[in-house]
Structure formats: structure tokens, C-alpha cells
Amino acid sequence: MNAELGRRLRQARLELGLSGTELARRIGKSQPYISDLERGQRTPSLSTLAALAQALGRPLSYFLGADEEGEALSWPERTLPTEKANEMTRRLATAVVDQLLSAELLRTDQNTDRDKLVQIVHQAIQNAYHQVRATTLPRQAKAASNR
């Protein structure tokens, strides 16, 4: 359980682009404490876990493993990168590159082949997802607290 909890904590933190130090600051703990949690060497109290969930914009159940496969969560609620989400964004990137190439809005040259363009677009999709996610989480948390 601790290893899975640690893995989920780390994924959620990285998805938001937070350092361990910043996450620790947000919940009033130390960076080594966060590191120990992520390595599965410590178990947080329920109040600390609730603070982590709030800071990371995740439901408490996410960290307790209630949705092991992530199937109950919709696309924006899934942590990137997961295998399924990564494959989906890679397919999306491939389709976008193919459409741009066929419409001649994008061209390859001797130094940049189609696969490289797919990699670039795939990374851009993931970066955009993280940016949008980081800006919508604070609004969602605020809306939830106003209910």
C-alpha cells in the first residue's frame, strides 16, 4: 500500500510540476518527509493525506487506491503520464501531424522526419495538458470549498 500511495503522490506532484519542497511547503511538512512518502517509507496520517489530496487536486480516494485502474476517472482526472493516456496522446499527435502534412501546412526536411514531428507534437500536447490542468485545479478547489 505504501509503495502505491508513494507512486500516486509522486505522479500527482509531477503532473502539477511541483517540487517536493513546494509540496512540503503547501502542507506544512518537510521535503524529506515528502521524499519518504513517495518512496513508501512512511505512512501519512489521515489529516496529512487530506492536505496532500487538496494540494494536489485529487480526491482522497485516489491516494487510497479506490480506483486502481483509473477507469472510474474521466480523462482530465487521470494522472499523466499513464500508459493509456500516453498512448492516446501519442495517437492524437500522430493524427495531427499526418493532417498537417497532408494539408501541406507542415513540411519535413532533411533534418526533421515525421517521427520527430510526432514526438514534438506529443510533448506539446502533454505540456498543454499540464498547463491547463494547473490553472483549472485551483478554480475547482475554490468552487468545491464554496459549496
Side-chain angles (χ1 to χ4, degrees):
M1 173 66 180
N2 282 354
E4 180 62 15
L5 171 66
R7 184 189 67 75
R8 286 175 179 239
L9 282 170
R10 185 172 195 279
Q11 272 191 300
R13 177 178 63 77
L14 292 176
E15 176 187 15
L16 293 176
L18 296 177
S19 67
T21 302
E22 176 60 20
L23 179 58
R25 187 194 63 74
R26 288 183 181 192
I27 67 164
K29 299 289 183 181
S30 69
Q31 183 279 324
Y33 179 79
I34 298 298
S35 182
D36 287 347
L37 288 176
E38 290 182 354
R39 288 193 316 265
Q41 295 178 341
R42 294 185 80 157
T43 303
S45 67
L46 187 54
S47 62
T48 298
L49 192 57
L52 285 163
Q54 183 176 2
L56 295 169
R58 294 274 186 222
L60 196 54
S61 62
Y62 174 83
F63 298 105
L64 299 175
D67 51 309
E68 273 313 311
E69 298 301 315
E71 294 302 321
L73 300 176
S74 64
W75 161 261
E77 299 308 315
R78 292 185 187 182
T79 303
L80 283 179
T82 64
E83 201 170 312
K84 288 180 182 179
N86 194 35
E87 178 60 28
M88 186 165 53
T89 56
R90 185 167 304 286
R91 286 182 180 183
L92 179 61
T94 301
V96 167
V97 167
D98 287 345
Q99 288 178 11
L100 291 172
L101 287 170
S102 67
E104 296 183 1
L105 296 171
L106 190 64
R107 293 194 180 106
T108 59
D109 60 27
Q110 295 167 344
N111 297 323
T112 307
D113 63 3
R114 180 183 165 277
D115 291 339
K116 182 66 176 170
L117 291 173
V118 169
Q119 286 177 336
I120 292 167
V121 171
H122 183 242
Q123 187 62 55
I125 290 169
Q126 288 185 328
N127 291 345
Y129 173 86
H130 291 296
Q131 288 174 338
V132 169
R133 181 88 172 131
T135 60
T136 58
L137 282 176
R139 282 186 266 161
Q140 290 172 351
K142 185 177 180 181
S145 68
N146 290 336
R147 289 182 202 157

